[in-house]
Amino acid sequence: MLRNHRIESKLDKNRGLDHGAWDILYLMYPKADIPIIQVSVNPFLAMEKQYEIGRAIKKLGKEEILVIGSGSTVHNLATVNWNSEKTEEWALEFDDWFIEGVEYNDKNALFNYRKLALYAKHAVPREEHIVPMFIAMGSGNKDKPKLLHQSYAYGTLSYICFEF
């Protein structure tokens, strides 16, 4: 599918599951009784390109294959407070902006979140944690994305789940 869309990729048969994959999967499928294909992300590609990768694999949903984009919208380990039970306002503000963009399908704003969203650089110091959201968004078959879950841990780590 990627090759058909002129997206460069290569197979690595030796790499195990990244923590971003198994952290979600062991909760969803504790018996580990489903086949898994992990796709690594390239955090240096523009968000438009990440979305295009999702579009390239969109047919998987029609084949009853679940595409999971695991990561975090707010993922700045320097701001984590392991004892905090209160979510920091800046983390909420960034996520609220991002959620609104997804729900209104404002791809232009989302692709340019670094320039447009308050606290973007603070919330997302490195792209690899937010890239899976753009790939999942591109792979979706729903007319309107649906927010399924939103919670926070340690003051700033964001857990958001959308159905695309």
Side-chain angles (χ1 to χ4, degrees), residues 41-157:
V41 299
N42 179 347
F44 303 107
L45 296 176
M47 295 307 123
E48 295 92 326
K49 296 290 182 190
Q50 309 292 356
Y51 183 83
E52 288 175 22
I53 291 170
R55 301 305 289 169
I57 62 172
K58 184 176 180 155
K59 285 190 225 171
L60 292 175
K62 293 185 176 167
E63 296 177 24
E64 296 188 22
I65 297 173
L66 179 62
V67 174
I68 300 172
S70 60
S72 293
T73 47
V74 179
H75 193 285
N76 184 340
L77 295 181
T79 65
V80 167
N81 177 347
W82 301 107
N83 299 313
S84 180
E85 293 182 21
K86 179 184 177 286
T87 305
E88 296 292 329
E89 279 300 314
W90 62 265
L92 286 169
E93 285 187 43
F94 176 80
D95 271 351
D96 288 346
W97 181 93
F98 199 89
I99 290 166
E100 183 175 305
V102 171
E103 291 179 334
Y104 285 101
N105 201 25
D106 190 350
K107 288 187 211 66
N108 185 52
L110 293 168
F111 293 160
N112 293 290
Y113 81 92
R114 276 267 192 231
K115 295 176 189 167
L116 300 176
L118 284 176
Y119 310 110
K121 290 179 183 169
H122 199 55
V124 188
R126 296 172 31 174
E127 254 79 20
E128 70 265 18
H129 295 103
I130 200 167
V131 162
M133 177 75 82
F134 288 94
I135 295 172
M137 190 183 321
S139 74
N141 290 304
K142 301 277 184 203
D143 291 333
K144 182 160 174 51
K146 181 179 178 184
L147 180 65
L148 301 175
H149 178 83
Q150 179 179 7
S151 66
Y152 298 84
Y154 312 118
T156 62
L157 289 182

